[in-house]
Amino acid sequence: MGKLNMVKALNLALLQEMERDDGVVIIGEDVGVDGGVFRVTEDLHRQFGGTRVIDSPLAEAAIIGTAVGMALYGLKPICEIQFSGFAFQCFHQIENHAARYRARSQGRFHCQMVLRMPYGGGVRALEHHTESEEQFYAHIPGLKMVIPSGPRTARALLASAIRDPDPVIFFESKALYHAAKEEVPDEIETMPIGRARIDREGRDLTLIAYGAMLRVAREAAEVLREEDGVEVEVIDLLTVSPLDRETISASVQKTGRAVVVHEASRNFGPGAEIAASIMEGAFLSLEAPVRRVTAYDVPFVGFAREWVHIPDAARVVSAARDTLAY
Amino acid sequence: MPRTPIEPRFKIEYLSILDSEGSLDTALEPDIPPGDLKRLYRAMVLGRRLDERMVRLQRQGRIGTFAPIKGQEAAQIGSVFALRRTDWMVPSFRETAAMLWRGWPIEKLLCLFAGRLEGGQPAPDQHDLPITIPVATQLPHAVGLAYAAQYRGDDVVVMAYCGDGATSEGDFHEALNFAGVWHVPVVFVVQNNQWAISIPLKKQTHSATLAQKALGYGFPGIQVDGNDLLAVYAASREAVARARHGEGPTLIECVTYRLGVHTTADDPTRYRSDEEVKAWERKDPLPRARAYLEKKNLLDDGLEEQVDAEIARAVERFETMADADPLTIFDHVFAERPAHLEAQRAELRERLGADPPRRVDEERPLPTPMRGQRKTSRWAN
């Protein structure tokens, strides 16, 4: 047991899964000798060599496209797309092929592969380095979309994603990479994909968040307890798709009120699907409309104005108060 | 300092062994055993006759849109013949003849083009990918397969097909680049059939050949007469041998011609002349191969009839297949069905129970003709 930040925790998952399965290979830009621009693959090239930790040419479509071929052959590639903002150059390989090969071949082939991508803002970065695009992947049948919220969940979910027989999009919040350290057990730990976690129990309102927004939700919950005497239940979604509707509905059946927080822009985003699933699963318990606290529907804002764009605890508290007063 | 030429230092060869006039270059003639020659010619005839039958089936509304191969039989059979069963074949969407050679049953292909996904399922022992429709996107898969085979130390060569239009796509260039850098056992077969729907080669590229594109990625490219079975085979055999012996990728440009439509939804009279088509009909790969076999006394009597009977039996098997169970649409999305798909499946099951949908074969309306279909006669043969 040691205290690790998210980068080290992810690195540990990669190391242990590569040790236990020689079909696991890593491919991406700068993932080898350099250890990845965020150092998530640090030292793996030295340990496993360049044929398993592949420094690829700079071409996202072929990184995913060749990984699809490797997966069809039976390897378990882990692809790193350097920033999620660059994944549109391989989006067709993800949607047209990784997500569909099982259906197209009627089960003869499948793509056991993980697509790791740093996402999200709050790191004073340029355009294409700060966006959150989980909604695109969550919409695609055949893909799983996972977003851990801290070192321990990152490590356990990455191990599960690598072992999952279906393609998993694995978003890593850049803002969380070095944000905090957590106790991470030495022995291999996995977590079920598709299952949300109750991060904090409460009876008055449900806050649903994931990734870097979990800490925003936690902060808001604390403010609401201290200033309003409200007990907020916080759900850490962990998997955006397939959505754990059961956990969400059970919570809202109890609280009657829900606020969804995400960094992706609002229109047609995960908040809309979560709100719809609450309508289906907890309609008769609802005391107020489901609110969404999200980024605005603008293409990008530049980091100088990011503080108004990315949800913070004050916005969540305000939305929660509106919901409670409804 | 003076400018010092460093590149290019390359050549592009054009290979022709048996030309359209029937002249044979005996020095280059590959030594193909008579039994194989008979099988190859039969495969070409099967490709042609099935193609023609499929066009009729499409016109009758019994299958949907597909991409005919007419004119490209030599390019496909000559190349795929160089593979072993244990090698991998990665088609685009116009490789019916090559797919038949690789063991796809005719009725399965008909099934695929009749809109049934089970037609795209390769047999468990078949090292073939199903067809890929987005142009050039299958090429990185071929490179990945070859990388994985090399990683595992398997004696495997991957052959990937694409057309001239694909050479404009980013995925083509990325695949070639990765193949070159990784030095993997892959052979790219570009069937340059001169037209990407309505776009002629001269609007597709300013390169003198498509073969030379390989040189930019550090491996050889060769242009062959794609309607010459012997030339295609000779080049493919050499490329496959190179790949097998660790000498890396090769690109083979087969210069051929799509004698028919792009797909059954296309009308080529809008964009190309009858004279051009007629000129290429004189270079048809089939009569050329037939004359070659005739000279060697290898032609079997009644071959066409045998092939037609094989097709007729397959069409019958296809038409008597049980209806597809609609509930199977949820079977191959994930390894295990998540809750939302279980719920959607239950909803469909209830719907089917309450109001069973009409079987598709109870009524076969003719498809709405696509623009121009009735004006063209080229496919109606």
Side-chain angles (χ1 to χ4, degrees):
Chain A
M1 198 83 149
K3 279 201 154 216
L4 300 179
N5 67 23
M6 200 160 111
V7 169
K8 297 282 185 201
L10 289 163
N11 184 263
L12 178 64
L14 293 172
L15 169 71
Q16 290 180 327
E17 291 306 303
M18 289 186 81
E19 279 173 343
R20 72 180 275 282
D21 185 347
D22 71 357
V24 176
V25 299
I26 292 177
I27 175 171
E29 295 155 12
D30 308 301
V31 296
V33 177
D34 195 36
V37 294
F38 289 103
R39 305 288 177 261
V40 174
T41 56
E42 188 153 73
D43 211 35
L44 299 175
H45 184 270
R46 189 188 60 77
Q47 293 189 57
F48 298 102
T51 54
R52 278 191 81 186
V53 184
I54 307 160
D55 267 327
S56 77
L58 203 165
E60 287 77 11
I63 290 171
I64 305 305
T66 56
V68 165
M70 292 178 200
L72 296 174
Y73 200 85
L75 300 186
K76 293 148 190 168
I78 304 166
C79 312
E80 178 175 306
I81 296 298
Q82 206 154 73
F83 289 88
S84 63
F86 303 142
F88 294 95
Q89 295 196 74
C90 56
F91 198 74
H92 67 292
Q93 284 292 346
I94 299 171
E95 201 279 349
N96 291 176
H97 299 303
R100 294 175 183 232
Y101 239 105
R102 186 184 289 282
R104 180 180 303 141
S105 68
Q106 291 290 283
R108 165 74 167 84
F109 297 116
H110 63 274
C111 293
Q112 178 160 355
M113 57 195 286
V114 180
L115 289 79
R116 294 183 37 246
M117 305 185 203
Y119 86 101
V123 290
R124 299 175 60 80
L126 293 171
E127 189 185 358
H128 310 297
H129 293 67
T130 61
E131 294 84 349
S132 298
E133 308 93 343
E134 59 270 26
Q135 64 276 27
F136 296 107
Y137 306 101
H139 186 67
I140 297 173
L143 290 185
K144 296 181 180 178
M145 170 80 237
V146 171
I147 309 188
S149 54
R152 187 160 183 176
T153 56
R155 184 279 189 97
L157 283 166
L158 183 54
S160 298
I162 294 166
R163 297 179 194 187
D164 195 291
D166 289 301
V168 179
I169 310 292
F170 195 90
F171 268 25
E172 300 163 4
S173 164
K174 294 184 286 290
L176 294 182
Y177 268 150
H178 302 101
K181 290 184 176 180
E182 275 176 7
E183 289 292 338
V184 175
D186 295 333
E187 63 276 14
I188 290 176
E189 188 177 52
T190 60
M191 279 184 89
I193 289 173
R195 196 87 53 80
R197 195 175 58 88
I198 305 289
D199 184 67
R200 171 189 179 120
E201 290 197 22
R203 58 173 189 277
D204 300 321
L205 178 136
T206 304
L207 271 181
I208 300 146
Y210 53 87
M213 290 298 103
L214 180 70
R215 56 182 187 171
V216 171
R218 281 175 177 167
E219 197 185 326
E222 202 49 41
V223 171
L224 288 161
R225 189 183 65 81
E226 281 175 13
E227 296 182 7
D228 303 53
V230 167
E231 290 303 326
V232 171
E233 181 144 300
V234 176
I235 294 180
D236 181 7
L237 210 50
L238 297 171
T239 300
V240 177
S241 176
L243 186 63
D244 184 354
R245 292 160 209 271
E246 208 178 312
T247 298
I248 295 168
S249 292
S251 174
V252 179
Q253 279 167 11
K254 179 173 67 175
T255 63
R257 293 177 163 87
V259 175
V260 189
V261 189
H262 61 63
E263 253 183 279
S265 54
R266 184 171 312 166
N267 278 348
F268 304 93
E273 181 61 34
I274 292 167
S277 88
I278 291 171
M279 294 287 283
E280 288 160 3
F283 180 70
L284 293 176
S285 309
L286 277 178
E287 303 286 349
V290 179
R291 290 286 299 264
R292 290 175 285 169
V293 181
T294 69
Y296 297 111
D297 290 311
V298 297
F300 72 104
V301 297
F303 68 78
R305 295 185 176 85
E306 213 175 45
W307 63 279
V308 297
H309 185 61
I310 295 177
D312 59 13
R315 274 175 74 189
V316 177
V317 166
S318 167
R321 283 178 179 152
D322 286 352
T323 305
L324 288 159
Y326 185 84
Chain B
M1 298 293 278
R3 296 183 185 203
T4 313
I6 50 168
E7 291 279 358
R9 289 174 299 198
F10 58 74
K11 59 177 181 180
I12 290 291
E13 289 179 342
Y14 175 79
L15 179 63
S16 162
I17 297 175
L18 178 67
D19 73 14
S20 54
E21 307 306 319
S23 326
L24 176 70
D25 186 330
T26 48
L28 292 174
E29 183 185 6
D31 185 21
I32 305 175
D36 284 341
L37 273 176
K38 287 166 82 163
R39 285 170 61 222
L40 291 167
Y41 180 64
R42 189 182 192 284
M44 289 173 70
V45 172
L46 176 62
R48 174 70 57 95
R49 302 292 270 208
L50 177 63
D51 204 59
E52 291 169 352
R53 184 69 202 272
M54 282 172 73
V55 171
R56 289 198 298 277
L57 289 171
Q58 192 275 337
R59 298 307 179 209
Q60 293 160 356
R62 292 152 84 186
I63 63 170
T65 298
F66 79 101
I69 59 142
K70 185 178 176 183
Q72 300 179 212
E73 295 84 353
Q76 295 184 20
I77 297 299
S79 52
V80 78
F81 176 52
L83 291 184
R84 297 177 187 163
R85 283 283 295 176
T86 46
D87 292 329
W88 282 73
M89 191 277 212
V90 178
S92 71
F93 52 78
R94 197 192 299 285
E95 273 76 51
T96 313
M99 289 173 78
L100 292 172
W101 181 271
R102 292 288 292 178
W104 288 83
I106 295 171
E107 59 269 32
K108 211 163 191 173
L109 294 178
L110 293 174
C111 203
L112 178 67
F113 292 112
R116 296 176 57 156
L117 296 185
E118 51 272 39
Q121 183 190 50
D125 62 339
Q126 212 183 334
H127 294 165
D128 291 48
L129 297 191
I131 68 163
T132 289
I133 296 176
V135 172
T137 61
Q138 74 280 13
L139 301 176
H141 307 165
V143 177
L145 284 168
Y147 186 93
Q150 191 164 276
Y151 175 83
R152 287 298 190 198
D154 297 339
D155 179 12
V156 160
V157 174
V158 182
M159 185 172 275
Y161 289 85
C162 69
D164 42 304
T167 66
S168 302
E169 288 278 10
D171 276 23
F172 171 84
H173 295 275
E174 292 190 18
L176 263 65
N177 187 42
F178 275 51
V181 172
W182 289 348
H183 205 64
V184 286
V186 63
V187 179
F188 299 100
V189 178
V190 181
Q191 296 185 77
N192 172 8
N193 70 11
Q194 313 300 324
W195 292 91
I197 305 189
S198 69
I199 304 303
L201 189 67
K202 67 175 186 290
K203 286 189 187 175
Q204 203 68 249
T205 181
H206 196 54
S207 291
T209 70
L210 299 177
Q212 74 200 63
K213 291 176 190 279
L215 303 176
Y217 300 104
F219 58 87
I222 182 170
Q223 190 183 64
V224 303
D225 179 348
N227 288 359
D228 173 355
L229 177 72
L230 303 182
V232 175
Y233 172 60
S236 303
R237 184 177 60 179
E238 192 181 317
V240 167
R242 288 188 68 246
R244 209 178 293 290
H245 295 124
E247 290 164 43
T250 306
L251 186 149
I252 301 170
E253 175 190 0
C254 298
V255 179
T256 180
Y257 194 78
R258 158 164 63 77
L259 288 172
V261 289
H262 159 67
T263 68
T264 46
D266 172 45
D267 171 18
T269 61
R270 291 173 63 90
Y271 53 78
R272 66 186 192 186
S273 70
D274 275 356
E275 292 71 43
E276 181 186 302
V277 179
K278 286 202 177 79
W280 277 96
E281 276 169 351
R282 287 193 289 277
K283 302 182 205 170
D284 189 329
L286 250 71
R288 211 187 296 187
R290 185 185 171 85
Y292 179 70
L293 264 77
E294 208 161 18
K295 270 190 198 149
K296 289 182 178 286
N297 261 327
L298 292 174
L299 271 189
D300 288 332
D301 287 338
L303 176 63
E304 278 76 9
E305 290 73 17
Q306 281 172 34
V307 164
D308 286 348
E310 181 186 340
I311 294 169
R313 287 193 298 273
V315 170
E316 201 179 312
R317 285 194 295 276
F318 158 66
E319 300 222 303
T320 53
M321 273 179 191
D323 272 355
D325 176 0
L327 285 175
T328 62
I329 63 173
F330 299 105
D331 284 358
H332 299 294
V333 186
F334 295 103
E336 285 175 44
R337 268 195 298 275
H340 71 288
L341 288 184
E342 280 297 352
Q344 290 174 22
R345 188 174 182 275
E347 179 197 310
L348 176 59
R349 185 160 54 186
E350 198 176 299
R351 236 182 82 206
L352 294 173
D355 179 21
R358 209 167 38 179
R359 284 161 51 106
V360 276
D361 57 356
E362 278 173 10
E363 188 181 302
R364 286 190 194 279
L366 280 173
T368 313
M370 304 289 260
R371 100 182 120 61
Q373 270 187 3
R374 298 199 187 290
K375 285 189 295 184
T376 179
S377 60
R378 185 97 33 226
W379 43 263
N381 52 7

